């Protein structure tokens, strides 16, 4: 007979993973749009001193805030997954999956930081 606590932990883990994968997918889409917005700046010559299109600063900042919010949610889910994994005991597959979700969070966070840095450089050049 299976331990009911173990089943509850497994179902909780799977629900958290499902939620993490959904947010990771949402982040992938948002970051792609974020990169396209940045590409519009460079294609139109704004990096060389032209002024960015009106409202672009708002669009970029709004998108940054949406991405940051999703990253915070993903961080919370990863923390919950860590607690769930710790209570379930050591299992190599769980540890590997958790590490992969942490890597994805780190990669997305780095992409946002690079994009934000790029945008600020563009805005400095627009003055």
């Amino acid at each position: 007979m299976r331990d009911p606590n173990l089943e509850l932990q497994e179902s909780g883990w799977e629900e958290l993973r499902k939620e993490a994968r959904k947010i990771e997918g949402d982040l992938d889409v948002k970051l792609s749009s974020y990169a396209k917005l940045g590409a519009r700046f460079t294609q139109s010559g704004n990096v060389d001193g032209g002024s960015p299109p009106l409202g672009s600063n708002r669009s970029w900042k709004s998108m940054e805030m949406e991405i940051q919010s999703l990253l915070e949610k993903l961080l919370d889910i990863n923390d919950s997954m860590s607690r769930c994994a710790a209570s379930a005991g050591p299992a190599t597959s769980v540890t590997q999956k958790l590490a992969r979700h942490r890597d994805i969070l780190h990669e997305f966070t780095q992409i946002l930081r690079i994009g934000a840095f790029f945008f600020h450089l563009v805005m400095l050049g627009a003055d």
Side-chain angles (χ1 to χ4, degrees):
M1 187 169 152
R2 288 183 53 105
D3 181 2
N5 288 334
L6 182 59
E7 288 179 18
L8 183 61
Q9 289 169 350
E10 286 175 359
S11 68
W13 167 260
E14 286 306 317
E15 282 300 312
L16 289 168
R17 280 199 68 220
K18 182 179 176 182
E19 193 173 346
R21 288 191 303 266
K22 181 192 178 314
I23 292 174
E24 289 165 356
D26 292 347
L27 275 165
D28 195 35
V29 170
K30 292 276 185 195
L31 286 168
S32 178
S33 297
Y34 187 70
K36 288 176 185 173
L37 183 60
R40 277 191 246 149
F41 281 120
T42 58
Q43 289 172 354
S44 62
N46 295 322
V47 173
D48 297 328
S51 66
L54 191 59
S56 295
N57 188 10
R58 256 190 319 262
S59 296
W60 194 293
K61 280 307 210 184
S62 174
M63 201 173 289
E64 263 184 27
M65 288 173 30
E66 288 176 32
I67 293 168
Q68 187 61 44
S69 176
L70 287 171
L71 287 170
E72 289 168 6
K73 286 179 186 176
L74 187 57
L75 177 61
D76 290 343
I77 291 169
N78 278 352
D79 289 345
S80 295
M81 289 170 64
S82 293
R83 287 189 297 276
C84 191
S87 66
T92 304
S93 66
V94 169
T95 304
Q96 290 171 343
K97 290 173 185 172
L98 182 57
R100 181 63 190 135
H101 285 289
R102 285 181 180 152
D103 289 345
I104 291 169
L105 173 62
H106 179 74
E107 289 169 17
F108 285 156
T109 301
Q110 293 297 65
I111 291 169
L112 178 62
R113 285 184 183 152
I114 291 167
F117 177 74
F118 171 78
F119 177 72
H120 293 294
L121 285 178
V122 168
M123 293 312 295
L124 285 173
D127 291 337

